[in-house]
Amino acid sequence: MRAVQFNEYGPPSVLYVAEVEAPHAGPGRIRVAVRASGISPGETLIRSGAMRDMVPTALPYRTGFDAAGVVDEVGEGVTGVEIGDEVFGMADPAERGANAEYAVLAAWAPKPAAWTWEEAGGAAGGVETSTRVLDRLAVGAGQTLLVQGAAGGVGTIAVQMAVARGATVIGTASERNHGFLRSLGAEPATYGAGLAGRVRALAPGGVDAVFDCAGGALPDLVAIAGDPARVVTIAPDLTAASHGVHLSHGAPVDETGTALGVGADPLAVHGLPIAVALAREGRLRVPVAAAFPLAEAAAAHELSESRHARGKIVLVG
């Protein structure tokens, strides 16, 4: 089968499509014929080598964490899903490899009929990350949440899932994306200098929590929240600890439920069925910034690194 991988750290050009042996569904896993799969900012950093100390990788490395497709293998012990079912989900973080013609999923849910394959292919990572962080911040009804970088692949989903919890959401983005954020249910604010004042005008009573999807502004975000414990970042900012801010990255768990990985949080896979329910109610969509064929994975990574993509970037075919 064809799969996207790299043999060395470097720029997007190190990515290539290789002919590799197809994986198979082991116990507790399913395999899908992939219709679409996601590109994440975190994985572009893995490819560049920027996260080699935090996320060590064996080379060659097959890329891709989330995917959607048609089930064609069901592993031992798996129930509730059959060959031919349409699903979306995520690979084991230790294995990845979803940017391929076939992928093994460790967690999945039925593909909502309202979502296209492109939307479903880019959904699982953002849903899991959003659920993980919103749970850690205990975001709920009556609270005010600030999402820094709200127009990106995770931010767009975080806004909608927080609104579904009954929270008031303020989202930062460039001015050209303000109307888009309003359509998702957020009050928009421009990021950059003076952010605290703009947030104060929108939320005179202050904010209860901050979800940082963008990075680069932790001192300001801590000041806005009033307490570093009320800020969680998913941006790979190695200064987070010095600001007292938790940097959340997901990992599989052992038999006791403990996350495997330094500083990692357990994957919030319980968010997948929540997302399905919201999608069926018309309350969760997955904005897709662009879709590229597998052979253009490098171009997809370049777009992700530009930080100008509104929504999720996916690979198809």
Side-chain angles (χ1 to χ4, degrees):
M1 71 165 190
R2 295 183 306 143
V4 178
Q5 64 181 39
F6 59 88
N7 290 331
E8 60 181 329
Y9 296 120
S13 59
V14 302
L15 293 168
Y16 66 100
V17 176
E19 285 291 339
V20 300
E21 185 175 344
H24 294 282
R29 303 286 193 261
I30 63 171
R31 190 178 80 169
V32 298
V34 176
R35 296 292 184 267
S37 60
I39 297 291
S40 71
E43 200 155 52
T44 67
L45 291 162
I46 292 174
R47 186 219 69 237
S48 73
M51 295 185 70
R52 70 181 72 189
D53 294 331
M54 182 180 296
V55 186
T57 60
L59 300 175
Y61 178 90
R62 294 187 196 173
T63 64
F65 179 58
D66 43 12
V70 179
V71 178
D72 79 334
E73 282 186 5
V74 177
E76 181 183 352
V78 173
T79 59
V81 64
E82 298 179 354
I83 291 174
D85 287 353
E86 298 182 349
V87 302
F88 75 105
M90 61 189 68
D92 187 312
E95 298 171 5
R96 305 268 172 161
N99 297 149
E101 291 180 307
Y102 294 91
V104 172
L105 302 184
W108 60 87
K111 172 189 169 292
W115 288 354
T116 64
W117 281 117
E118 290 80 5
E119 290 170 315
V127 167
E128 184 280 322
T129 302
S130 296
T131 304
R132 172 170 21 103
V133 175
L134 294 175
D135 283 355
R136 185 179 182 95
L137 290 168
V139 173
Q143 296 186 323
T144 298
L145 171 72
L146 172 64
V147 178
Q148 172 81 338
V154 174
T156 53
I157 293 176
V159 165
Q160 295 172 87
M161 296 192 81
V163 168
R165 291 181 177 212
T168 296
V169 180
I170 298 170
T172 68
S174 60
E175 192 167 348
R176 67 186 177 88
N177 285 321
H178 283 193
F180 170 64
L181 289 186
R182 288 191 183 96
S183 75
L184 299 180
E187 271 298 318
T190 305
Y191 51 75
L195 176 62
R198 293 190 291 276
V199 170
R200 194 178 308 113
L202 293 170
V207 302
D208 298 289
V210 177
F211 185 165
D212 175 30
C213 300
L218 286 181
D220 289 341
L221 299 181
V222 170
I224 289 169
D227 181 349
R230 292 159 59 189
V231 180
V232 172
T233 185
I234 59 168
D237 188 337
L238 300 182
T239 70
S242 67
H243 296 292
V245 171
H246 178 68
L247 188 155
S248 182
H249 62 101
V253 298
D254 62 20
E255 62 277 3
T256 69
T258 302
L260 302 174
V262 178
D265 296 326
L267 291 175
V269 297
H270 61 279
L272 299 184
I274 294 171
V276 172
L278 292 175
R280 287 172 176 166
E281 297 168 1
R283 302 171 68 193
L284 180 63
R285 54 194 173 107
V286 185
V288 175
F292 295 84
L294 283 180
E296 296 180 18
H301 275 232
E302 288 175 1
L303 177 59
S304 178
E305 290 178 339
S306 75
R307 304 184 72 175
H308 294 309
R310 189 169 80 179
K312 190 73 175 183
I313 301 167
V314 298
L315 298 178
V316 296

